[in-house]
Amino acid sequence: MWKCVITICFLLLSIQYTWAQKHEWEQYLYQIGVLEDLESTTWETSFNLLCDLEENPININTATREQLEQLPFLTAQDVEDISEYIYRYGPMRSLGELAMISNLDYFKRKLLFYFTYAGKEPEKGFPKIKNILKYGKHDIIGTFKVPFYTRKGDEKGYMGYQYKHSIRYDFTYGDYVRFGLIGSQDAGEPFFAGKNNLGYDFYSFYFVIKKLGNIKTLALGRYRLRFGMGLVINNNFGFGKLSTLTTLGRGGSNIRAHSSRSDGNYLQGAAATVNVTKGLDVSGFVSYRKFDATLNDDDNTIATIITSGYHRTETEIAKKHNSAHFLAGGNVDYRFKGFHVGLTGVYVTLDKELRPKTEAIYRKHYAHGRIFYNIGVNYGYTGPRLSVSGETATGGCNAIATINSLSYSLTDNLALMALQRFYSYRYYSLFAESFSEGGAVQNESGIYIGANWKPMPGMNIMAYTDFAYFAWPKYQASGSSRSFDNMLQAAYIRGKWNFSARYRLKMRERDNDDKTGLDFKNEHRGRLSVAYNSGMLGMKTQADVAYTQYKGDSFGWMIGQNVSLDLNKLLNTSVMIGYFDTDDYYSRIYSYEKGMLYSFSVPSYFGNGVRLAVFASSNFSDKITISAKVGFTKYFDRDKIGSGYQEVNGSSITDLELQMRLRI
């Protein structure tokens, strides 16, 4: 063990004089409860979106409603208030004017500083091509990850080497033009070999134009969509329960580039939004792409659509792009004096019939067939204090899904929200993503009630309770089941100090030991944190506990300490060390960990061990930034880590990540 400690200490000392990168906005996003909201399966996509906006901020003086709705911490009223302020008083001379908008609290104003800027009014019309080529910005990012350990699959099973790497090129000109190309390789995947004879396992390419006459957005290549509340189509970004409370259930419409390394859930083709007349927008989109799938024994029908993007073994490679879809659809959106209504339709055809295995009863009503269509109506109203939004959808499944939210600001410091959803167990849409407890827009009805209260300057208290009912059996629940989710969080900032506390009780019915009935699985999770930030020096201490009651009791805890040093462009560095001790997997602890640009990581820890991570960055010039991160995990209760091909023969693992960025 001491050899590992000495090695890591040496790396810590050496890397302090190297380089890394940090997202300063994370501390403010954390304070309003969004960053730790892991309930949404698409939060990684939202994180990548924020990284994009950090690098290509929005001119707040010319921002459209759709651009502001990309920010996952603004409510519908926030968007209206910003637009109204600029309409009434003219362009902002600086973002300091955000303080004049009373509904924007301290943390939202600070976050807007990272994703927007107060720019001058641009010249009328679309910029000339020669100006785009001359003044556009080029951004090249290369990332490389080296594991200092060997997995079982690296010795036999994986078709490629154990290193993970990617390259990203991005060209932007203001809010008007964006073009990019991404190549990405996961550890274990072949490089310039086999099916990857063109090099990387995954490529993404995109070209986006905005504000070209009446064309608000035109996307070519790979892109993502979101319309309404996501019951018909949403592969853009999603919210968990705290985020829903922060944004007060806001929906929205958006087209954006697929600029992440994720090899799943994107569209490929063209999409556009055109402003027909004041308040009326029309969108259309078409997509054809190949995707991964597990086929049934007949090799002609699909059992499961795969979105993991892994192609490491012969089995995984055989499933690569073995199926395809064609998708077409559109949206009409009309807004007038705070009211809005929209209509979305999607048609999808697969080259093979989707036929999931229904031997397990919970799969009986999964999406099936070869041709799918869905249509939905979204609606809402945004006023000074009252906000209403919702969507109702149906389709070829001959079933209904509906979600509706209502929020009301009793005072400037107290907002209440209620959200109702009913997703028939027979409803399905291949590209739906919305608020849910069960992880899908299917087989769920529930009521969510939340409150956001600021009783005094610097203090924010958020609470919610959510009840869900699942009429059809779910995985590990052989009959109709229920769940209850309750959370209370308080955050207080005073000067350079931040204090926060959080408690969550989640109860969900599961099969008992002999599957003759259902028992509640009760999860208690708590968190306390204290942080200090002087601008140059930052420190944070965090303690987590978890207690689960299900087929026995399981208890776990983790305490972590983070110290960061910010010397502006010369050096930004942080060191995190944490100790964890849990009975088993049921009491695992989740801990968000800062990573490289466009890298999102929320590892879970169980058993007994220690986690150590060092992260640092430095700008050699205005054009070059080099970053590095070392992560070390040591377990005291095992001599093997992981299972299957991921198994490591040892009690510790160490990774080194390097990133270089060139801006021209």
Side-chain angles (χ1 to χ4, degrees):
M1 172 183 173
W2 289 111
K3 290 183 179 180
C4 294
V5 173
I6 293 172
T7 301
I8 292 301
C9 288
F10 173 77
L11 288 171
L12 292 179
L13 291 172
S14 62
I15 201 171
Q16 291 291 331
Y17 298 97
T18 58
W19 314 274
Q21 184 140 323
K22 71 174 188 175
H23 310 297
E24 296 179 355
W25 43 266
E26 292 177 5
Q27 58 181 311
Y28 300 107
L29 203 62
Y30 170 80
Q31 289 298 328
I32 61 175
V34 180
L35 189 61
E36 299 297 325
D37 189 2
L38 308 178
E39 291 305 306
S40 172
T41 57
T42 58
W43 171 241
E44 182 174 1
T45 303
S46 302
F47 181 86
N48 286 330
L49 170 62
L50 291 177
C51 290
D52 273 343
L53 291 174
E54 181 185 22
E55 302 307 315
N56 305 287
I58 301 167
N59 183 352
I60 199 168
N61 289 324
T62 61
T64 63
R65 172 182 50 80
E66 290 82 6
Q67 287 178 300
L68 293 175
E69 284 179 343
Q70 294 181 76
L71 299 170
F73 52 83
L74 295 180
T75 67
Q77 188 59 50
D78 292 335
V79 174
E80 294 295 331
D81 287 346
I82 293 171
S83 300
E84 175 66 21
Y85 179 89
I86 294 172
Y87 175 78
R88 178 175 297 183
Y89 301 107
M92 294 184 184
R93 294 186 178 182
S94 73
L95 292 181
E97 292 188 47
L98 291 170
M100 305 298 293
I101 304 175
S102 59
N103 286 337
L104 287 176
D105 61 32
Y106 171 81
F107 296 112
K108 289 182 179 180
R109 294 199 303 271
K110 293 296 290 185
L111 281 165
L112 283 168
F113 271 77
Y114 295 102
F115 306 117
T116 65
Y117 69 98
K120 296 180 180 179
E121 285 282 351
E123 297 180 5
K124 292 185 179 180
F126 195 75
K128 297 179 180 180
I129 294 179
K130 66 178 183 179
N131 289 335
I132 294 175
L133 297 176
K134 182 177 180 180
Y135 299 110
K137 297 179 180 179
H138 304 265
D139 197 348
I140 303 173
I141 299 175
T143 305
F144 193 72
K145 183 175 182 179
V146 182
F148 294 104
Y149 51 86
T150 301
R151 298 162 300 182
K152 181 182 291 186
D154 296 325
E155 297 175 335
K156 185 179 181 181
Y158 291 157
M159 306 299 292
Y161 47 73
Q162 62 194 91
Y163 309 110
K164 179 178 180 178
H165 54 94
S166 64
I167 187 74
R168 171 191 296 264
Y169 167 75
D170 204 49
F171 173 84
T172 57
Y173 181 84
D175 300 334
Y176 297 98
V177 177
R178 184 180 184 193
F179 167 78
L181 177 66
I182 297 171
S184 178
Q185 193 82 11
D186 287 311
E189 295 177 336
F191 188 57
F192 280 109
K195 281 193 174 182
N196 295 339
N197 58 351
L198 295 179
Y200 282 105
D201 178 73
F202 172 72
Y203 288 99
S204 184
F205 48 91
Y206 49 86
F207 180 59
V208 178
I209 295 177
K210 294 185 178 181
K211 303 177 183 178
L212 178 61
N214 289 340
I215 299 177
K216 300 180 76 171
T217 304
L218 171 64
L220 303 174
R222 294 182 172 174
Y223 62 91
R224 291 176 176 265
L225 298 175
R226 182 188 183 190
F227 292 107
M229 304 288 282
L231 299 189
V232 174
I233 186 167
N234 173 26
N235 65 348
N236 198 342
F237 58 91
F239 301 131
K241 295 181 179 178
L242 274 177
S243 305
T244 297
L245 183 56
T246 301
T247 61
L248 298 181
R250 169 177 59 80
S253 302
N254 191 259
I255 299 172
R256 76 178 186 90
H258 175 63
S259 57
S260 77
R261 294 172 295 186
S262 173
D263 186 12
N265 206 24
Y266 61 85
L267 301 178
Q268 180 175 274
T273 298
V274 178
N275 178 242
V276 178
T277 186
K278 184 178 180 180
L280 178 62
D281 292 341
V282 176
S283 301
F285 46 90
V286 63
S287 169
Y288 175 82
R289 59 158 293 201
K290 294 183 177 181
F291 60 87
D292 300 356
T294 298
L295 302 182
N296 289 307
D297 294 338
D298 59 11
D299 287 333
N300 292 316
T301 58
I302 299 171
T304 306
I305 295 175
I306 302 172
T307 60
S308 66
Y310 289 126
H311 306 117
R312 303 161 298 184
T313 65
E314 290 184 357
T315 301
E316 291 175 345
I317 292 174
K319 297 177 181 179
K320 183 176 181 179
H321 297 168
N322 61 1
S323 303
H325 83 230
F326 171 80
L327 176 149
N331 170 266
V332 179
D333 185 81
Y334 180 69
R335 296 175 181 266
F336 179 74
K337 293 184 177 180
F339 292 92
H340 71 269
V341 61
L343 176 68
T344 306
V346 172
Y347 171 86
V348 183
T349 179
L350 306 179
D351 69 338
K352 300 180 182 68
E353 181 183 354
L354 178 58
R355 190 186 297 171
K357 297 179 180 180
T358 56
E359 292 82 0
I361 189 172
Y362 66 88
R363 294 198 188 106
K364 182 175 181 180
H365 295 286
Y366 277 17
H368 56 279
R370 188 170 180 177
I371 297 175
F372 305 85
Y373 69 88
N374 294 86
I375 187 168
V377 178
N378 63 282
Y379 37 82
Y381 168 77
T382 302
R385 292 195 178 276
L386 176 67
S387 180
V388 180
S389 61
E391 184 175 13
T392 300
T394 185
C397 54
N398 296 317
I400 290 177
T402 184
I403 181 171
N404 301 276
S405 70
L406 183 150
S407 62
Y408 186 74
S409 298
L410 293 176
T411 68
D412 291 341
N413 299 321
L414 177 60
L416 303 178
M417 179 188 170
L419 183 147
Q420 168 271 336
R421 74 271 192 194
F422 169 76
Y423 309 146
S424 169
Y425 61 81
R426 293 185 293 109
Y427 179 83
Y428 50 76
S429 173
L430 294 183
F431 294 92
E433 170 73 28
S434 192
F435 182 98
S436 70
E437 167 65 29
V441 182
Q442 186 182 48
N443 186 28
E444 179 173 327
S445 57
I447 294 289
Y448 169 96
I449 298 174
N452 195 341
W453 182 34
K454 300 161 188 171
M456 57 186 292
M459 176 169 281
N460 188 22
I461 298 176
M462 303 173 68
Y464 70 73
T465 183
D466 182 49
F467 167 77
Y469 175 72
F470 313 102
W472 192 259
K474 301 280 288 184
Y475 176 65
Q476 294 185 336
S478 301
S480 300
S481 58
R482 302 164 295 167
S483 75
F484 300 87
D485 191 3
N486 309 276
M487 194 281 302
L488 175 64
Q489 175 175 289
Y492 178 63
I493 180 171
R494 184 177 179 85
K496 299 176 182 179
W497 291 90
N498 285 287
F499 306 88
S500 67
R502 179 178 178 180
Y503 170 70
R504 183 177 185 181
L505 170 60
K506 190 171 184 178
M507 306 165 62
R508 187 162 181 176
E509 287 184 314
R510 291 280 191 256
D511 288 327
N512 58 20
D513 288 334
D514 53 9
K515 295 187 178 182
T516 58
L518 300 176
D519 293 334
F520 274 108
K521 176 183 178 182
N522 301 324
E523 292 185 32
H524 303 261
R525 293 188 178 273
R527 171 174 296 163
L528 291 173
S529 71
V530 179
Y532 171 83
N533 194 328
S534 66
M536 183 179 72
L537 177 66
M539 295 182 292
K540 180 180 178 181
T541 303
Q542 179 171 298
D544 289 88
V545 295
Y547 175 55
T548 301
Q549 296 170 296
Y550 179 62
K551 299 180 179 179
D553 295 343
S554 179
F555 179 77
W557 60 276
M558 181 175 183
I559 187 166
Q561 179 66 49
N562 184 284
V563 179
S564 61
L565 181 65
D566 185 355
L567 300 178
N568 294 320
K569 295 182 179 181
L570 178 64
L571 177 67
N572 292 311
T573 185
S574 67
V575 179
M576 188 281 288
I577 185 168
Y579 178 84
F580 55 91
D581 188 8
T582 80
D583 290 337
D584 50 39
Y585 181 76
Y586 284 126
S587 56
R588 63 194 179 277
I589 301 292
Y590 290 97
S591 178
Y592 172 79
E593 191 168 291
K594 185 161 51 182
M596 297 294 180
L597 187 62
Y598 296 102
S599 178
F600 179 76
S601 176
V602 188
S604 63
Y605 302 100
F606 65 94
N608 178 234
V610 63
R611 172 65 177 175
L612 184 62
V614 180
F615 189 71
S617 80
S618 180
N619 292 340
F620 280 110
S621 66
D622 293 336
K623 296 182 178 180
I624 300 177
T625 301
I626 296 182
S627 310
K629 176 183 177 182
V630 172
F632 169 76
T633 306
K634 170 68 177 180
Y635 291 91
F636 304 122
D637 61 343
R638 68 194 72 171
D639 54 13
K640 291 184 178 181
I641 302 172
S643 60
Y645 284 141
Q646 291 290 97
E647 183 181 279
V648 177
N649 188 17
S651 60
S652 65
I653 54 176
T654 303
D655 293 281
L656 170 65
E657 293 182 77
L658 299 171
Q659 187 176 84
M660 181 175 180
R661 180 182 182 189
L662 175 63
R663 287 165 288 190
I664 304 174

